[in-house]
Amino acid sequence: MTRSVVIIDDSEFITDLLKEFFASKLEFNVLDTGANGVQAVSLYRRHRPDLLTMDLTMPVKDGKTALREILAEFPGARVLVISSQVGPTMLECLKLGAAGYIEKPLRLDEEEFVSDFEATVEDAFKPR
Amino acid sequence: MESLGDCLSDFEVCARRAVESIVGSPTLMCRRFSTRLGAEEIPALCTIRSGNGTFDVHLSMGLRSEEVAPFLGRIASSRRRLDMLGEVLNTLAGNFLGRDTFIAKCGEIAPSLPFFGESDTIKGGSRVIEGVMQINSVHVRFTLTVCESAGEGQRE
């Protein structure tokens, strides 16, 4: 059965890259996209996707706040954080319950990056 | 506050990686990143301003608005061009501010959203990292400034 994904990023450029990658390379069904944390929460509620990808630095509501809210309401939600923020922020998100963390910049033309990305997505679907 | 000399290598790595991954073209350093003290107004098309109460950080890209299209090397709508420019700076900020070399000097600072304008002001006493990179025949100045937050004492 095809897995579904909702993509959240305030950059249309990044959103388009991720849509193409998830649809063509990972064969996900891209249900919807959003550009801030408010949309992230409402789209998760509406679609209940198998996976939601979340940027962190966004207007209106940031990704870390949205991550907390989604996981509080839906403890089984799989939220994959995709952000340029590294170091302590990455660890905080994982401690909050993010299913994985992908570090920007997205280097989708590099085999190793794509392989790591695929592995992180697969790990998100393993029993916790 | 301390010199940012230890951060130069990380800053260059993060800047080149951010540009090359989003623009898709190789970068060439026209003027290598170096440190100085600053207190002036600089041209800045895109800026990120963040802080943690102890230190204020500004990160900016200096290029003219008509240089954005050749910098990106591709035809795109005006909105898409600004989006990509903001993403370059956002990527640089997120990557660099999370590096151990920076955190050791200034603590944790989360990047804010980029905004677009014409200039940025470097406050007196700021530590500056600055360099000029060539991408697709466009020279872009990257400037990082760090100063103590107004009203705050030395970082403990």
Side-chain angles (χ1 to χ4, degrees):
Chain A
M1 193 167 152
T2 306
R3 290 167 174 169
S4 62
V5 65
V6 166
I7 293 167
I8 306 294
D9 199 297
D10 61 330
S11 165
E12 286 183 11
F13 167 70
I14 296 294
T15 300
D16 286 349
L17 285 179
L18 289 172
K19 274 170 63 177
E20 171 66 22
F21 182 72
F22 270 94
S24 301
K25 181 74 179 172
L26 302 184
E27 297 182 335
F28 272 66
N29 180 17
V30 179
L31 297 177
D32 216 329
T33 64
N36 59 58
V38 169
Q39 292 176 358
V41 177
S42 67
L43 289 175
Y44 191 90
R45 281 192 192 120
R46 184 191 308 169
H47 294 293
R48 309 286 182 92
D50 295 313
L51 185 72
L52 182 137
T53 74
M54 185 86 82
D55 183 19
L56 292 184
T57 309
M58 294 188 289
V60 186
K61 181 179 286 183
D62 67 87
K64 204 157 76 171
T65 304
L67 169 68
R68 270 199 204 96
E69 289 181 17
I70 290 172
L71 289 174
E73 191 172 340
F74 304 99
R78 289 183 202 89
V79 180
L80 178 68
V81 175
I82 301 181
S83 171
S84 62
Q85 293 187 49
V86 300
T89 304
M90 185 189 301
L91 294 175
E92 282 168 37
C93 288
L94 291 172
K95 279 185 190 168
L96 284 172
Y101 200 106
I102 299 287
E103 183 187 322
K104 289 179 181 176
L106 301 178
R107 303 186 300 282
L108 300 175
D109 55 342
E110 291 179 17
E111 200 175 308
E112 190 177 339
F113 182 87
V114 169
S115 178
D116 288 346
F117 197 133
E118 287 177 322
T120 301
V121 170
E122 279 310 307
D123 283 347
F125 285 88
K126 288 181 181 164
R128 286 187 253 185
Chain B
M1 62 166 289
E2 301 171 46
S3 161
L4 297 175
D6 295 348
C7 302
L8 281 175
S9 176
D10 278 344
F11 191 80
E12 179 171 337
V13 166
C14 292
R16 298 183 85 154
R17 195 164 77 146
V19 172
E20 289 173 1
S21 65
I22 290 167
V23 177
S25 299
T27 56
L28 176 70
M29 293 307 303
C30 303
R31 194 174 87 214
R32 296 210 75 89
F33 289 108
S34 60
T35 62
R36 63 178 176 88
L37 292 176
E40 76 259 32
E41 193 159 309
I42 57 170
L45 183 62
C46 188
T47 304
I48 284 177
R49 293 178 184 163
S50 295
N52 60 5
T54 303
F55 292 102
D56 293 333
V57 171
H58 289 197
L59 183 58
S60 68
M61 290 175 70
L63 72 165
R64 296 191 302 273
S65 54
E66 60 267 27
E67 291 179 311
V68 174
F71 162 66
L72 294 171
R74 64 185 79 188
I75 299 170
S77 68
S78 168
R79 177 175 154 152
R80 175 58 64 100
R81 290 199 292 265
L82 291 180
D83 172 17
M84 292 173 71
L85 199 67
E87 192 61 25
V88 168
L89 203 61
N90 178 56
T91 300
L92 166 55
N95 285 181
F96 178 70
L97 297 181
R99 292 274 180 148
D100 290 342
T101 48
F102 181 80
I103 292 174
K105 291 185 185 294
C106 300
E108 293 178 34
I109 297 179
S112 58
L113 295 167
F115 68 91
F116 298 89
E118 292 184 357
S119 65
D120 191 33
T121 301
I122 301 178
K123 283 162 54 177
S126 293
R127 298 277 182 176
V128 180
I129 288 178
E130 194 163 68
V132 178
M133 196 184 287
Q134 180 179 320
I135 309 99
N136 292 331
S137 79
V138 176
H139 290 188
V140 181
R141 178 163 69 174
F142 287 87
T143 307
L144 173 89
T145 70
V146 183
C147 65
E148 292 180 10
S149 295
E152 296 290 335
Q154 289 291 326
R155 185 172 71 93
E156 293 182 11

